Amino acid sequence: MATRYWIVSLPVQTSATSLWSRLQESISKNSFDTPLYRFNIPNLRVGTLDSLLALSDDLLKSNTFIETASHKIRRQIEDLEKISGILSSSLTIDGVPVDSYLTKFVWDEAKYPTMAPLKEIVDGIHVQVAKIDDDLKVRIAEYNNVRSQLNAINRKQTGSLAVRDLSNLVKPEDLVTSEHLVTLIAVVPKYSQKDWLSCYETLTTYVVPRSSKNLHEDNEYAIYTVTLFNRDADNFRTKARERGFQIRDFEYSSETQENRKQELEKLMQDQESLRSSLLQWCYTSYGEVFTSWMHFCAVRLFSESILRYGLPPSFLSVVLSPSVKSEKKVRSILESLCDSSNSTFWKTEDDGNMGSLGGDADTHPYVSFTINLI
């Protein structure tokens, strides 16, 4: 699928049909690999010259905003499909591939009445896309909030033993808890394990001999249990810290364990649900934004053509997708089909650019601007 297209209008001197035939013939003969299509624009309401000039000032800004919104949703779809393990497929607009919707564009009279002022159509499109863009931000924020909570839990589950959650590493049978005895959890640097085993019994007076047990190790630390009298716990913490050992506060609770498990399951379900609904929303919203964008492009081409060629409207609008190596040749073909005096006026000595009515439109003796689907 081509992703870069030119939308072009050529001034009609005799008839649009003959101009279209000449263009088809020239492209077929000199750049046969360039896809070429009619871009059918209805007779829109022209309004006054002042209104067209005022509208022209807003067209570039609005186009950038709409194009950015379209690309943002498309990127979100790609990210969500990748995360979900969904094989990415070509996006469609009401069942029609995106590129086909552009190349076979049909104006939606019910949604955008042709008798409405051009500014009203453009403003309506802008408002609609802005609302979708705002909705996207809210939905992404909600989805990312759940992801952040899950990531925080996962970091606690997989981080260093000095900070991670120990509830899935320490079992009830590892602990001794009674009226007089308590089991503490010590975090010992891996290189200090021999030191720990040789000294923990003598750090304080009331340590149970041979009570230390290695429960788990990672790349940096090992966790050991140690059992001692309750009254000696605070003193043991102090002495252990002085020797470079960390005593983690830990109290096993089956209720807490169950609550954490349920919280994790709920967050995972919420993430999956939000991801699925966000993806479906993006599919739908991308179609709405893209169709709005194509109607906007039609209005833009129409208004710029009136400002360029004058009244009554008499121009041929087309869509092309030349390869990079064919661009110069296709430009030459398009220019050859324009009135010679018009061509001379718009061509500069170095074949560079002059200011154009479209802002970002390429400067040529015809109206032309580029749209990128991705």
Side-chain angles (χ1 to χ4, degrees):
M1 182 188 84
T3 60
R4 186 170 179 270
Y5 290 87
W6 294 350
I7 299 184
V8 173
S9 77
L10 299 170
V12 173
Q13 305 302 325
T14 53
S15 77
T17 302
S18 63
L19 180 59
W20 171 242
S21 298
R22 288 165 59 200
L23 176 59
Q24 284 182 304
E25 183 181 348
S26 295
I27 292 293
S28 177
K29 182 178 179 181
N30 299 292
S31 183
F32 65 89
D33 61 340
T34 298
L36 172 67
Y37 311 90
R38 290 287 292 266
F39 188 67
N40 296 307
I41 302 177
N43 291 320
L44 300 174
R45 183 174 173 181
V46 176
T48 64
L49 178 60
D50 287 343
S51 66
L52 283 178
L53 287 170
L55 180 65
S56 180
D57 293 336
D58 298 331
L59 287 173
L60 175 58
K61 186 192 301 182
S62 292
N63 183 73
T64 301
F65 171 72
I66 298 169
E67 183 176 13
T68 300
S70 172
H71 292 173
K72 191 187 299 182
I73 298 174
R74 190 181 187 111
R75 285 194 300 270
Q76 190 64 52
I77 289 172
E78 292 170 353
D79 291 344
L80 290 170
E81 287 182 336
K82 185 176 180 181
I83 293 172
S84 303
I86 298 174
L87 184 62
S88 182
S89 57
S90 298
L91 292 174
T92 59
I93 312 296
D94 295 329
V96 178
V98 171
D99 54 335
S100 296
Y101 183 89
L102 166 60
T103 57
K104 299 175 182 177
F105 175 74
V106 176
W107 183 272
D108 187 344
E109 173 67 24
K111 193 171 185 180
Y112 305 104
T114 52
M115 290 308 297
L118 296 182
K119 180 170 174 53
E120 183 179 307
I121 294 175
V122 170
D123 289 348
I125 290 173
H126 191 100
V127 168
Q128 180 193 13
V129 174
K131 184 180 184 305
I132 291 175
D133 191 55
D134 287 340
D135 286 348
L136 177 64
K137 292 173 184 175
V138 171
R139 289 171 181 271
I140 289 176
E142 184 180 12
Y143 171 62
N144 285 340
N145 179 49
V146 172
R147 287 187 69 192
S148 296
Q149 292 181 58
L150 265 176
N151 289 337
I153 291 175
N154 288 331
R155 281 195 298 272
K156 287 182 179 179
Q157 300 282 3
T158 59
S160 163
L161 290 174
V163 295
R164 68 174 285 183
D165 179 26
L166 301 179
S167 59
N168 61 335
L169 300 177
V170 182
K171 299 177 176 59
E173 55 266 28
D174 296 325
L175 304 174
V176 175
T177 303
S178 68
E179 182 181 352
H180 300 292
L181 294 176
V182 65
T183 298
L184 302 181
I185 305 298
V187 179
V188 179
K190 288 194 74 171
Y191 61 82
S192 300
Q193 292 184 80
K194 287 184 178 180
D195 184 28
W196 164 261
L197 292 172
S198 65
C199 76
Y200 78 90
E201 294 180 354
T202 58
L203 286 178
T204 60
T205 307
Y206 300 102
V207 177
V208 176
R210 294 183 298 280
S211 63
S212 188
K213 175 185 173 185
N214 185 320
L215 299 183
H216 190 78
E217 295 183 19
D218 63 13
N219 293 331
E220 300 177 84
Y221 299 99
I223 55 172
Y224 283 84
T225 58
V226 57
T227 303
L228 60 153
F229 279 75
N230 264 319
R231 63 184 179 181
D232 212 21
D234 289 341
N235 188 30
F236 188 90
R237 286 188 178 90
T238 302
K239 296 295 184 181
R241 187 167 56 248
E242 291 173 356
R243 295 293 295 266
F245 308 126
Q246 176 190 353
I247 303 301
R248 291 282 307 272
D249 291 327
F250 180 81
E251 183 177 344
Y252 185 87
S253 167
S254 58
E255 184 179 347
T256 301
Q257 283 282 80
E258 185 61 28
N259 289 341
R260 286 176 178 170
K261 181 181 177 182
Q262 290 178 2
E263 179 189 9
L264 181 60
E265 289 175 352
K266 184 178 184 305
L267 284 172
M268 292 178 69
Q269 290 172 359
D270 289 348
Q271 178 183 245
E272 185 61 32
S273 174
L274 287 170
R275 182 166 58 217
S276 177
S277 63
L278 177 57
L279 182 57
Q280 292 304 317
W281 181 90
C282 283
Y283 285 142
T284 301
S285 297
Y286 180 78
E288 292 178 10
V289 171
F290 190 82
T291 55
S292 297
W293 186 20
M294 293 305 100
H295 283 79
F296 175 89
C297 287
V299 172
R300 182 183 177 191
L301 190 70
F302 179 84
S303 62
E304 290 187 16
S305 297
I306 297 298
L307 289 171
R308 178 71 67 90
Y309 310 133
L311 290 170
S314 183
F315 57 87
L316 172 71
S317 51
V318 299
V319 174
L320 309 95
S321 182
S323 61
V324 174
K325 65 179 182 180
S326 301
E327 286 188 4
K328 192 170 183 180
K329 190 183 297 181
V330 174
R331 289 291 183 198
S332 178
I333 292 170
L334 294 171
E335 187 170 316
S336 70
L337 295 173
C338 292
D339 178 74
S340 58
S341 60
N342 195 21
S343 175
T344 303
F345 176 78
W346 285 98
K347 194 175 180 70
T348 63
E349 290 182 3
D350 60 355
D351 200 29
N353 291 336
M354 294 178 64
S356 71
L357 297 169
D360 73 332
D362 304 319
T363 304
H364 303 284
Y366 48 86
V367 176
S368 170
F369 53 87
T370 301
I371 63 170
N372 296 291
L373 301 188
I374 297 179

